[in-house]
Amino acid sequence: MGKLIATRDAFGEVLVELGERYKNLVVLTADLAESTRTNKFASRFPDRFFNMGIAEQNMMGVAAGLASCDKIVVASSFAIFSTGRAWEQVRYSICHSYLNVKVVATHGGISVGEDGSSHQATEDLSLMRPLPGMRVVVPADATETKLAIRAAVETDGPFYIRLGRPKIPVIFEDSCPFQLGKGYRLTEGEDVAIFACGVMLYQALEAEKNLRREGVKAQVINMSTIKPIDTQIIIEAAKATGAVVTAEEHQVTGGLGSAVSEVLAENFPVPLERVGIKDRFGESGTPEELFKKYGLTARDIEEAAKKVLRRKG
Amino acid sequence: MDKITSLKIRANQLRQDVIEMTAEAGSGHPGGSLSAADIVACLYFEVLRHNPKNPKWPDRDRFVLSKGHACPVLYSALARSGYFPVEELRTLRKIGSRLQGHPDNRKTPGVEICSGSLGQGISAAVGMALAGKIDKKSFRVYVLIGDGEIEEGQVWEAAMSASHYKLDNLCAILDYNGLQIDGPIRKVMSPEPIKEKWLSFGWHTVEIDGHNIPEILDAFSQAKQVKGKPTIIIAHTTKGKGVSFMENVVEFHGKAPAKEEAKKALEELREEVRQWEN
Ligand SMILES: Cc1ncc(C[n+]2csc(CCOP(=O)(O)OP(=O)(O)O)c2C)c(N)n1
Ligand SMILES: [Mg+2]
C-alpha cells in the first residue's frame, strides 16, 4: 500500500489554491473549521471566511444569499448535518434558485468511526441525488478530491461533494483521469463490471486482484460522479460483461447502487448486486471493524461478484 | 458525611470515570463531560426520581442529555446509579458496546432518547414534558444543553414551544462553559445576551455557579416551585473542570487524554477527595 491521505486534507489544501485564484470564493463552516480543514483557508483569507456557529440551516441560507451576489461559496460541515439538518435549505434556497454553492461535506459514511451513528452519514447521497440541478461527486482519494473540488468551483451551479474523515490509500499517485460526469475504467475484464465510488474504489481494486487470481476478470469502474450519472459507461459495461456489482459506503438505497440500477433497468437489464449498508444505522467502532461488520470490505465485493456471476448463468 | 460533601465526591467519581473511559477509548469528549459533572451528579444522586432497577418506570423523571457528546459523564452516572455494571464503562466507543459515542436509547439502559445531533434533545424534552401534561403525570423533565448548542435555531423553536404550552414541568440546564469546538463562543458565534434571550422567550431563569453543589440543588428546588412556565438554570461552568491542565483548553473538547495525562488527571482528582475527607 502506498501513501495514506484523508480526502478532507486534500480539500483543505486545494481550497487555499483556489482562494488565490478566485477572489470571489467565500468559505463557510459551522463550528467545524478544523475538522473540515477549512481552517487553512481561514488563516490565509480571513476576510473571506465565516464561521457560522452551530447553525447549519442558516449557513446554507447565507451561502445562497452570498452566491446570489456573485460569490462562489463553499459551505462545509459534516455530511450528516450538511445534507440532513439543512436539507430543505439546500433544496430550496440553493438548488431551486440554482446558485453557485458547493456543499463540501466531510465525515461521510461509517468510516467516521468511534463517534457513532449520530455522526455517520449513510443516507446523504440519496438526499442530494434527487435535487434538480445538483451535481453529486464522491472522490476516491486525495488526488481526485482536488480535481473534483476544482471542477466544482469552476462549474456554475450547486454541487455536493462527499469526503471522509480517516486517512485512506492514494490510488492516483501521478495523474487521475477525473472528468466531471464521467465514469472511468481502471481495469479491463469481461466477466463482471464493478462500479465503485469513494473509499470503496480501493476495496474494489483489491477485490479485482483477488478475483483475477481465481480466474474471474473484472472491470473496475470509478463512478466518482454519481450525478449526472454516466449512462454510457454503465450500458457499455453491462453489454461487455452481463453482470454488475456496485460498491459504496452508504445505504444501498438511493446512492450509487440505485443510480446504476436505474440506468440498467431502463436500458440494458443484467443481474446486479449492490454492496453497501443494508437498511441499518451505523455504530461506534474503528473504521476497519465497521467495514467488516457492515459488509464493506474487498471480500464482500468478491462475494457479490461471485453471486452475480452465478445469476448471469 | 453531609449531603454536600457526598455529592462532591460523587461528582469527583464521575470525573474520574470520564478520564478513564475516554483515555481507554482513545477518543471522546472529556471537556464538556467534566464541565457538567456537578450538575449531573446532583441530578442522578439527589434530584431525579428514578429507579435504576426499572428504567422504564412510567412515572420516572426524565433526563435528556441534549449535548449528547458529553455522554461519558451520563454513562458514568447511570452505571454508578446501578443501571448497568460499572465495568462496562471501559467499553465506551468500542465495537459492539452498549455505550455508543453518542447516547442511544436502544442500546443503553437509562438513556431516554438518541441525542448528539445538537439541538434535537431539547425538542424531545419538550415533547416529554407535554406528554406529562396530557397524562396529568407528576414527573419532571430535565434537559442539559450546551452554550454552543444554543446557536442551533431548533433550540429557540423548542424554547418558544415550551413557554407557549406553559411547561412548568420542564427544566433546562445550560452548561455555560464559554467554549465550543472552534474556540470561545463569543468569538465563533456569540449567542449573547443569553439570559435576556431566555427571559424574552418566556422562561424563568436562574443563574448559578455550575460547580457549587448548594447553588445547583437550590436552583433545582426553585425550578420546582415555578408555575406556568419552564425554567432554565444558567450554570456558569469551566470546560474541563477538575483537571488543571484540561480546564479551559479548547482542544480537550473532543480529544481524549493520553495515558500519561490520564494518570496525572486521576492523581489530581483523587487528591481532591482526600482533602474533602479530612
Ligand atoms: C447539529 C450538529 N452540528 C454539529 C455538531 C458537531 N459538534 C459536536 S459538539 C460541538 C460543539 C458543542 O459546543 P457546546 O454546545 O458548547 O458543548 P460543550 O462546550 O458543553 O462541550 C459541535 C459543533 C453536532 N454534534 N451536531
Ligand atoms: Mg460550551
Side-chain angles (χ1 to χ4, degrees), chain A residues 31 54 56 81 85 119, chain B residues 32 67 69 116-118 146-149 152 177 179-181 239 253:
Chain A
D31 196 27
I54 314 171
E56 298 81 6
F81 308 129
R85 174 66 59 102
H119 285 58
Chain B
K67 41 166 275 184
H69 56 277
S117 174
L118 295 171
D147 52 0
E149 180 179 17
E152 282 288 354
N177 59 28
L179 298 180
Q180 56 190 109
I181 292 187
K239 206 157 172 170
H253 167 85

Side-chain angles (χ1 to χ4, degrees), chain B residues 15-34:
Chain B
R15 290 193 165 95
Q16 291 188 39
D17 287 346
V18 166
I19 296 297
E20 285 188 317
M21 293 165 80
T22 53
E24 170 74 29
S27 68
H29 300 83
S33 299
L34 295 173

Side-chain angles (χ1 to χ4, degrees), chain B residues 138-158:
Chain B
S138 63
F139 68 76
R140 295 183 56 76
V141 182
Y142 297 90
V143 55
L144 184 66
I145 56 179
D147 52 0
E149 180 179 17
I150 64 173
E151 293 161 4
E152 282 288 354
Q154 181 173 2
V155 170
W156 302 100
E157 297 175 25

Side-chain angles (χ1 to χ4, degrees), chain A residues 129 195 223 226 228-236 238 256-270 272:
Chain A
R129 203 164 67 89
F195 291 89
M223 286 301 270
I226 292 180
I229 193 85
D230 184 351
T231 25
Q232 198 191 331
I233 200 167
I234 298 172
I235 298 167
E236 272 172 23
L256 175 65
S258 290
V260 171
S261 310
E262 290 156 16
V263 172
L264 291 177
E266 286 181 348
N267 295 281
F268 193 82
V270 297
L272 165 105

Side-chain angles (χ1 to χ4, degrees), chain A residues 171 186-187 200-210 220:
Chain A
I171 297 170
L186 295 175
T187 65
M200 294 306 287
L201 183 64
Y202 180 80
Q203 307 288 347
L205 291 167
E206 291 293 294
E208 189 269 345
K209 281 186 233 155
N210 297 336
V220 173

Side-chain angles (χ1 to χ4, degrees), chain A residues 29-35 51-57 81 85 114-119 281-285 289-290 293, chain B residues 27 29 93-97 99-102 106-107 115-120 148-149 151-152 154 180-183 188-189:
Chain A
T29 190
D31 196 27
L32 290 169
E34 203 220 304
S35 298
N51 196 326
M52 301 309 295
I54 314 171
E56 298 81 6
Q57 296 172 312
F81 308 129
R85 174 66 59 102
E114 290 80 354
D115 266 353
S117 188
S118 60
H119 285 58
F281 289 113
E283 64 180 293
S284 296
E289 289 166 337
L290 293 171
K293 182 161 176 179
Chain B
S27 68
H29 300 83
R93 292 177 154 246
K94 302 235 163 95
I95 189 97
S97 171
L99 308 183
Q100 293 291 298
H102 291 80
R106 295 215 287 176
K107 297 219 154 95
S115 63
S117 174
L118 295 171
Q120 297 196 23
E149 180 179 17
E151 293 161 4
E152 282 288 354
Q154 181 173 2
Q180 56 190 109
I181 292 187
D182 283 340
V188 177
M189 178 55 62

Side-chain angles (χ1 to χ4, degrees), chain B residues 13-275:
Chain B
Q13 180 67 64
L14 301 189
R15 290 193 165 95
Q16 291 188 39
D17 287 346
V18 166
I19 296 297
E20 285 188 317
M21 293 165 80
T22 53
E24 170 74 29
S27 68
H29 300 83
S33 299
L34 295 173
S35 68
D38 299 293
I39 296 157
V40 172
C42 287
L43 280 167
Y44 275 86
F45 303 111
E46 181 67 23
V47 176
L48 287 182
R49 193 173 59 169
H50 65 136
N51 180 357
K53 295 288 161 270
N54 182 11
K56 298 277 172 205
W57 176 40
D59 292 325
R60 71 191 181 280
D61 287 344
R62 270 71 172 171
F63 173 68
V64 177
L65 183 67
S66 196
K67 41 166 275 184
H69 56 277
C71 56
V73 75
L74 171 63
Y75 296 154
S76 163
L78 290 172
R80 302 269 167 200
S81 301
Y83 283 90
F84 52 83
V86 169
E87 299 77 67
E88 209 169 322
L89 294 177
R90 327 202 79 221
T91 67
L92 175 74
R93 292 177 154 246
K94 302 235 163 95
I95 189 97
S97 171
R98 294 202 287 181
L99 308 183
Q100 293 291 298
H102 291 80
D104 185 337
N105 57 297
R106 295 215 287 176
K107 297 219 154 95
T108 316
V111 168
E112 298 288 352
I113 195 160
C114 291
S115 63
S117 174
L118 295 171
Q120 297 196 23
I122 183 168
S123 293
V126 169
M128 294 173 192
L130 204 49
K133 291 287 182 191
I134 296 170
D135 295 339
K136 302 205 167 25
K137 294 268 193 190
S138 63
F139 68 76
R140 295 183 56 76
V141 182
Y142 297 90
V143 55
L144 184 66
I145 56 179
D147 52 0
E149 180 179 17
I150 64 173
E151 293 161 4
E152 282 288 354
Q154 181 173 2
V155 170
W156 302 100
E157 297 175 25
M160 174 172 65
S161 60
S163 68
H164 182 81
Y165 287 110
K166 302 186 172 33
L167 301 179
D168 49 20
N169 52 350
L170 177 67
C171 177
I173 309 101
L174 178 71
D175 190 347
Y176 193 6
N177 59 28
L179 298 180
Q180 56 190 109
I181 292 187
D182 283 340
I185 59 168
R186 281 162 212 260
K187 272 182 79 180
V188 177
M189 178 55 62
S190 176
E192 303 290 347
I194 287 176
K195 183 176 173 185
E196 287 80 352
K197 280 199 178 65
W198 290 94
L199 277 173
S200 70
F201 271 76
W203 286 54
H204 178 73
T205 64
V206 190
E207 220 166 340
I208 61 161
D209 170 355
H211 302 306
N212 182 313
I213 304 281
E215 283 190 33
I216 298 171
L217 294 178
D218 201 55
F220 281 127
S221 20
Q222 220 194 94
K224 272 190 201 163
Q225 308 307 316
V226 176
K227 294 292 165 227
K229 51 165 79 170
T231 294
I232 181 159
I233 299 171
I234 299 172
H236 292 262
T237 56
T238 301
K239 206 157 172 170
K241 176 74 181 177
V243 178
S244 59
F245 58 91
M246 294 175 89
E247 287 189 1
N248 283 316
V249 177
V250 174
E251 289 67 39
F252 278 113
H253 167 85
K255 190 185 76 167
K259 291 275 134 87
E260 266 312 300
E261 291 171 321
K263 224 178 110 201
K264 262 176 58 190
L266 290 171
E267 278 165 16
E268 277 188 26
L269 288 164
R270 286 176 189 142
E271 177 53 31
E272 200 178 33
V273 178
R274 273 193 290 277
Q275 281 172 13

